[in-house]
Amino acid sequence: ARTETLTRHILRLAPRNLAAWRARLYIASKEDKPDRMIEALSRLYVLDPERRARYVDALAEIGMDTSGQAYFLNAISHHPPWGRVASLHVIAASDDDKFLLALVNAYPDNQSQYLEKLTQEGDWAGAYIAFLSLLAPEVRINLASPFDPAFRGSPAPRPFNWLLNNAYTSLEPRGGLSARFSGASQVWLSKQAITLSPGNYTLSTSMSGHTVPEGGYFRWEVACIAGKRLAYLNVRDLLPIRHNYIKQFAVPHGEECDFQYLVLFGMGGEFPRSAQAMIHDVSITSTDERTY
């Protein structure tokens, strides 16, 4: 009690006093008060940069303890300077999916890392369910395959949103993806995980740009997550005007292919001549007859 009174007095006179904040952290930990521990650790994180790694570890421990989760979520909602890195620690170490989903709802910057953790564990279905739950209702009811087909840019998490190779691509302000590469070797330019049921589909893309005969060109590819390629669409004859390119393909029944990757590649030509393109949109539509 005397130490508590003394630290309050010290911090009124010197709010940046490290010894007083460490004493308050010690008291809060002995009294098992997560809210006060977070308060002290937050101040120490700012005031004592040499020990930030220790403070982040301590904050993450609070987030992984059921008695501290509510306080951790409340602190995260204010986006403190330690928030993202401590949240990543929790995502990496915790198996409490309900809490992790609440955490990434409160701290959207880490949504892609959470879905990546699930997919690395092989839980693609769980990752997709989490992805849908993180979308706004008006976005969820208008889902297309792929997500954001016109490359307008969206904060929705990957891998069910576009992952771009920033060395070769960029989003245009009014929509569309600009891509340019040397044509010397194969590089991936953009990719997204999708989920298609068994059946027949049409892959369609609208592109413009510049390629030369025997030089670099572009390829769209659909492949099962497990690795089996389902289709590829080569685009070798780009022109300055927009043109549509299509490819029919099928997702087989009875195979391990509930989830797929849609990838845009830059393909090396016989001669290393550069290629550039504007991808206006890309879509995958079912060609099977529907019964109601």
Side-chain angles (χ1 to χ4, degrees):
R2 289 197 301 271
T3 304
E4 173 76 20
T5 302
L6 180 60
T7 57
R8 288 180 182 177
H9 177 69
I10 292 172
L11 291 173
R12 277 197 296 267
L13 299 176
R16 299 174 62 86
N17 187 281
L18 286 176
W21 280 113
R22 288 174 185 152
R24 290 183 71 80
L25 174 61
Y26 176 79
I27 295 169
S29 64
K30 287 297 183 183
E31 296 179 346
D32 196 21
K33 294 183 176 179
D35 54 337
R36 293 182 59 186
M37 290 174 65
I38 291 174
E39 179 192 18
L41 287 164
S42 296
R43 293 298 297 162
L44 288 167
Y45 180 89
V46 174
L47 299 174
D48 189 15
E50 292 183 359
R51 294 179 176 82
R52 280 183 176 173
R54 294 185 187 179
Y55 302 139
V56 166
D57 288 343
L59 286 158
E61 287 181 12
I62 295 171
M64 288 183 284
D65 190 310
T66 54
S67 66
Q69 289 178 347
Y71 300 104
F72 189 84
L73 281 175
N74 180 63
I76 288 294
S77 68
H78 300 290
H79 284 226
W82 50 266
R84 188 166 192 271
V85 64
S87 297
L88 288 174
H89 280 48
V90 175
I91 290 171
S94 176
D95 294 322
D96 186 344
D97 288 335
K98 184 177 180 180
F99 171 66
L100 293 179
L101 192 56
L103 177 59
V104 296
N105 262 309
Y107 211 89
D109 288 352
N110 290 337
Q111 290 178 359
S112 293
Q113 284 77 8
Y114 173 53
L115 297 190
E116 181 181 353
K117 175 187 177 180
L118 294 177
T119 58
Q120 287 178 345
E121 294 171 351
D123 187 8
W124 281 90
Y128 190 66
I129 291 170
F131 169 74
L132 294 177
S133 72
L134 293 168
L135 298 178
E138 62 273 16
V139 176
R140 190 162 55 243
I141 63 176
N142 292 307
L143 276 182
S145 187
F147 185 81
D148 188 18
F151 293 94
R152 299 192 180 279
S154 168
R158 301 177 303 273
F160 302 105
N161 190 12
W162 293 112
L163 176 62
L164 303 180
N165 187 336
N166 294 323
Y168 304 99
T169 66
S170 61
L171 293 173
E172 293 296 310
R174 296 185 179 182
L177 179 70
S178 176
R180 183 185 182 95
F181 78 109
S182 67
S185 61
Q186 178 176 327
V187 296
W188 73 269
L189 302 174
S190 65
K191 59 184 176 180
Q192 181 183 141
I194 57 176
T195 178
L196 303 172
S197 302
N200 299 299
Y201 295 89
T202 297
L203 169 64
S204 176
T205 184
S206 177
M207 298 172 61
S208 59
H210 175 73
T211 55
V212 298
E214 310 301 329
Y217 61 98
F218 297 91
R219 171 182 288 179
W220 284 102
E221 185 170 303
V222 182
C224 303
I225 292 296
K228 179 180 179 180
R229 187 169 70 183
L230 302 176
Y232 66 88
L233 171 59
N234 288 335
V235 180
R236 299 175 180 269
D237 55 346
L238 281 174
L239 298 171
I241 58 173
R242 183 171 176 170
H243 186 70
N244 292 328
Y245 304 85
I246 62 172
K247 177 74 174 184
Q248 309 290 330
F249 71 98
V251 176
H253 291 264
E255 294 192 20
E256 189 179 343
C257 196
D258 292 336
F259 292 88
Q260 307 84 26
Y261 265 121
L262 173 63
V263 188
L264 175 64
F265 290 103
M267 303 295 293
E270 187 173 343
F271 302 103
R273 301 290 298 276
S274 65
Q276 62 185 54
M278 170 65 70
I279 300 91
H280 302 280
D281 57 56
V282 59
S283 63
I284 297 176
T285 55
S286 173
T287 57
D288 290 334
E289 292 185 6
R290 296 186 179 184
T291 58
Y292 298 92

